[in-house]
Amino acid sequence: MQQPEQLMLSEHSIIAELETAVRSGSSEKRVNTLRQVTTLFLHDGERLSEEQIQVFDNVLCMLVSRVEARARAELSKCLALIDYAPIDVIQRLARDDEIAVAESVLKHSTRLTENTLVEVASTKGQAHLMAISGRAHLTEAVTDIIVDRGERSVLRKLATNATARFSEDGYSGMLARAEDDDELTELIGLRVDLPPKHLRDLLRRATETVRTKLMAQASPELQQEIQRVLKTFTDAARAETGLSARDFALAEEAVKRMKGLNELNDAAIGWFAEARRFSEIAAALGLLNNVPTELMAKVLEGPRADLVLIPCRSAGIGWSAVAKILRFRPVKHGIDPETLRLAEKDYSRLSLDTAQRTVRFWMVHNKVGK
């Protein structure tokens, strides 16, 4: 194999010779030629100019188009960590349909252009997206595409990438995709660059379990911010329902203890209703639906009896107990027999899935809807 200086002086003749050898040679010979050129570049490439590197680039691009995937993957691993690797062959390797070929350069190569990353993220499969998701310093243009196209495992990987940058739309998309994924919600919540607006949205959507995990894993600064945001939710809910003077702590502790003893059943809830202990009923519905007690108190004390059916169905409460809640709930005008009869029919038709989705909607939007 010629020295670099000779290669520079006779670029066209070398390429012509290689092309002849590649066309007429065996697969093994082509692979050996690729390895020889790669070895020569790795040995001397660091002291070459960009113009000289371009000669190697031309040679390598011609060779990779004529060797099998195994040899291309070998080249990808050799060049992925080289900061002066030939640019064109790196782009070609990144675009390879075979993930074994593309993976190393997608993960590590600093010579990949943003345009190539955008192209690969837009056109290739989940394995390629997974490889890209872990690379350092991803731009918003790339993460926007991954958020739009990536499957759950890809998004979780992207969420753990501390150096990836997200646009407003990107973060909004991540939160939307995390709607039914507690693990993804938790990973997003631990990002130090999550804007306050999106942290509030995430905590509003998050289950109590996720909130607890976030508090346990967050930095002291993030813990303070989480506590501050959660307090605003509680204050807003109490102000909206006029319950600012009520302390649900004792009721919540009581129903939590009952649940632990398997005593939080229909009979207990029915007894609470007859005894007009609606703090305990609100706490029970909150616990069983994994939502704030204040939200359930708002439903119980609101003017619409039909809304009470939704958290009761979502919690799996039987009609006998629900009927007692409707008859004794603390409102100005009690329910009449005909309305109660219609409510029983509505309750039998209300599906568990619909009820649970509706309660989740209320939680996400911090608002009891229609």
Side-chain angles (χ1 to χ4, degrees):
M1 179 62 67
Q2 301 181 51
Q3 293 303 308
E5 293 81 0
Q6 295 173 301
L7 186 62
M8 301 310 115
L9 292 172
S10 54
E11 171 191 351
H12 297 297
S13 62
I14 286 177
I15 291 179
E17 290 175 14
L18 282 170
E19 185 136 20
T20 300
V22 167
R23 279 201 304 265
S24 60
S26 65
S27 173
E28 183 179 356
K29 182 175 181 180
R30 290 194 294 270
V31 172
N32 287 335
T33 302
L34 176 62
R35 286 174 177 160
Q36 289 174 351
V37 174
T38 304
T39 300
L40 179 60
F41 174 78
L42 294 175
H43 184 267
D44 295 295
E46 194 169 9
R47 62 188 178 89
L48 299 178
S49 67
E50 284 293 335
E51 183 180 359
Q52 292 170 327
I53 290 174
Q54 183 62 53
V55 175
F56 276 97
D57 210 352
N58 294 338
V59 172
L60 290 171
C61 281
M62 185 189 70
L63 287 169
V64 296
S65 65
R66 294 168 172 83
V67 296
E68 67 271 20
R70 179 177 55 83
R72 300 198 305 275
E74 185 180 317
L75 176 65
S76 178
K77 291 176 182 176
C78 289
L79 298 181
L81 299 177
I82 304 299
D83 290 335
Y84 51 87
I87 289 180
D88 289 343
V89 75
I90 288 293
Q91 315 312 308
R92 180 171 294 198
L93 292 169
R95 295 186 183 102
D96 202 293
D97 289 336
E98 296 286 343
I99 186 57
V101 176
E103 185 173 28
S104 292
V105 294
L106 289 176
K107 284 183 174 180
H108 305 296
S109 180
T110 59
R111 301 286 267 181
L112 266 182
T113 67
E114 183 180 70
N115 286 341
T116 298
L117 285 169
V118 167
E119 177 188 336
V120 173
S122 301
T123 59
K124 302 299 181 182
Q126 295 301 310
H128 287 69
L129 290 176
M130 179 67 82
I132 296 172
S133 294
R135 70 178 280 119
H137 306 297
L138 289 174
T139 63
E140 293 91 336
V142 180
T143 57
D144 277 354
I145 297 169
I146 298 175
V147 170
D148 184 57
R149 299 190 65 233
E151 294 178 353
R152 179 171 295 188
S153 58
V154 171
L155 295 182
R156 289 175 178 174
K157 178 72 172 179
L158 183 62
T160 64
N161 187 338
T163 63
R165 300 200 307 268
F166 294 87
S167 67
E168 281 288 314
D169 287 344
Y171 263 132
S172 295
M174 286 284 275
L175 291 177
R177 299 291 300 277
E179 179 69 30
D180 298 313
D181 187 341
D182 284 356
E183 182 177 341
L184 180 57
T185 301
E186 184 180 338
L187 293 173
I188 297 171
L190 291 172
R191 290 189 63 87
V192 297
D193 61 344
L194 184 65
K197 165 189 169 184
H198 293 297
L199 177 60
R200 288 193 298 272
D201 193 17
L202 179 143
L203 290 172
R204 184 177 292 115
R205 298 166 182 249
T207 64
E208 286 300 321
T209 299
V210 170
R211 290 176 178 180
T212 301
K213 287 183 178 180
L214 282 175
M215 285 295 294
Q217 299 180 53
S219 65
E221 295 80 7
L222 183 55
Q223 285 181 355
Q224 291 180 358
E225 181 63 13
I226 291 172
Q227 288 175 334
R228 187 190 67 78
V229 172
L230 292 178
K231 186 176 184 302
T232 65
F233 294 163
T234 302
D235 292 346
R238 286 178 173 170
E240 192 173 341
T241 58
L243 298 173
S244 56
R246 185 180 302 180
D247 185 357
F248 289 108
L250 293 176
E252 289 172 342
E253 182 62 31
V255 299
K256 191 179 297 183
R257 185 167 57 251
M258 291 175 68
K259 188 172 186 293
L261 296 171
N262 292 320
E263 294 176 354
L264 190 60
N265 50 32
D266 286 2
I269 292 174
W271 181 84
F272 283 143
E274 291 174 331
R276 271 72 169 181
R277 295 179 61 170
F278 277 86
S279 290
E280 281 81 356
I281 294 178
L285 290 175
L287 179 64
L288 295 173
N289 285 290
N290 201 23
V291 298
T293 299
E294 291 85 351
L295 183 62
M296 294 296 94
K298 178 180 178 181
V299 174
L300 291 170
E301 297 183 347
R304 292 183 53 180
D306 57 333
L307 293 185
V308 177
L309 303 179
I310 295 171
C312 290
R313 171 62 77 193
S314 178
I317 299 173
W319 171 249
S320 176
V322 175
K324 291 178 181 179
I325 293 173
L326 293 176
R327 284 203 301 270
F328 297 112
R329 69 192 188 98
V331 292
K332 186 174 182 179
H333 301 290
I335 192 168
D336 60 81
E338 178 61 21
T339 304
L340 186 64
R341 187 181 64 79
L342 293 174
E344 182 177 8
K345 288 185 177 180
D346 289 340
Y347 196 69
S348 66
R349 289 194 293 259
L350 179 61
S351 72
L352 179 64
D353 180 63
T354 298
Q356 289 176 338
R357 282 192 288 109
T358 303
V359 172
R360 183 67 175 169
F361 178 86
W362 292 348
M363 179 62 184
V364 167
H365 295 277
N366 196 29
K367 177 181 179 182
V368 176
K370 294 179 180 180

